Amino acid sequence: MPSTASLEKLVYIKINSFVGVFHVNKMPLNYDVDIYSQLDNPWDSIVRFLNITLREMGWSNGDQEEVVMDVGCGPGRLTSEFILRIFPNLKKIIALDAESNMIEKARCLHPHPKIEYDVANFEDRSLIELWNGKITKFISVHCFNRMQDQKGAFQRVYDLLPPNGEAGFVFLLHNGYYDALQYLAKDLKWCSYIPFDIEDCIPKSHAKGYTSFHYKKMLEGIGFEIRHCQQVQNVTTFLSDELYTDFLYSVCELTPYIPNDVKKDFKKDLLHYTLKQNGRNDDGTPVDRTTTLELVQTKSRGIHHQYAESSLFGFLAKTECPCSRAHGQLSLTSRVPTGLSGPHVGMVWML
């Protein structure tokens, strides 16, 4: 397993017993629910967002009975062990995932009388609109980067919320892994095995280089008031090439289409192309570099919030990161571990 002394877990691509799943207007998904459930251990940045940021936003306060929707719940651990505990006055969590095997695993491993696990593709409006105006809090972790129509997905969130309802997101913006996929797709050794356009696997945020400013503008245009907008560069250390290779192979969209007799070579090339993007530490251990975005927003049309866009910049290096807020500013205390090679300081934008 990769070191937990990091801010981010690479978005896990849920593999469905290595059977490709394709939907109209949706990226190809290939997830193994058993592998994913073993890796389903939230890392520091996710725990910090759920246990600190959302609580500081007042999500654990108030007398209102909460109806919560969790989109991209996976096998349910994050829902039952973290999200559930945020809300002392909880009526119900509606936990959704597009993969039926994920929902089956969640119902088996993490049942709770206040959690309703359902299969639903959030990009299909007809499956979601029955909850319009009924969701007091919406949350999604490492899912919205997979939406083909992100603006449409955020609009659906807006429709789900009543006035003053709130939504919280964490999702990936950029990772060198997606550049590695494109190199693999151009490699004559592997291109004939890929039955789809590799661009369908690349999040728009990565392909177009989106930053937090893009999403701030988009969400305000829909009618949200932005309460928290933070972009973080994360560095994750894996203890060996073997562990990093196994991880990459378990989450790779191309894995189901590679014949058994060449899988060893494919794993080697997958690691090679990914390391060309993400690099190594001074001690030779591989690292994963991910830029993520955290958002908290309120449905409140007509209210304009003031932001000091040019002045709220900070710097953050790889680590578990205790944070505190004073007078609306973000204060981060970082410990830079030994052995990191090259520039590994990332920019944090707090809007």
Side-chain angles (χ1 to χ4, degrees), residues 7 45 48-49 53 169-171 173 212 226-234 291-296 316 321 323 325 330-332 347-351:
L7 277 177
S45 63
R48 175 173 54 84
F49 180 74
T53 302
F169 301 87
V170 178
F171 58 89
L173 292 178
S212 57
I226 310 301
R227 300 189 61 204
H228 172 87
C229 184
Q230 178 177 316
Q231 180 176 315
V232 183
Q233 176 67 44
N234 309 292
T291 304
T292 54
L293 181 64
E294 298 177 2
L295 291 164
V296 180
L316 180 66
C321 183
C323 67
R325 301 177 193 277
L330 178 66
S331 173
L332 293 169
M347 192 181 307
V348 177
W349 298 346
M350 181 69 180
L351 302 181

Side-chain angles (χ1 to χ4, degrees), residues 294-319:
E294 298 177 2
L295 291 164
V296 180
Q297 60 227 39
T298 303
K299 178 177 180 176
S300 185
R301 278 196 182 276
I303 296 178
H304 300 283
H305 197 74
Q306 300 299 316
Y307 302 94
E309 295 183 5
S310 62
S311 62
L312 294 175
F313 290 91
F315 294 92
L316 180 66
K318 167 191 184 287
T319 66

Side-chain angles (χ1 to χ4, degrees), residues 131-169:
W131 289 296
N132 280 358
K134 301 175 182 177
I135 304 299
T136 61
K137 295 290 192 296
F138 181 98
I139 190 164
S140 182
V141 175
H142 282 328
C143 181
F144 265 54
N145 54 290
R146 305 291 299 176
M147 302 290 178
Q148 288 286 62
D149 179 9
Q150 287 185 319
K151 185 174 182 180
F154 284 120
Q155 180 64 59
R156 279 188 284 282
V157 175
Y158 186 88
D159 295 339
L160 287 168
L161 299 171
N164 297 319
E166 293 189 294
F169 301 87

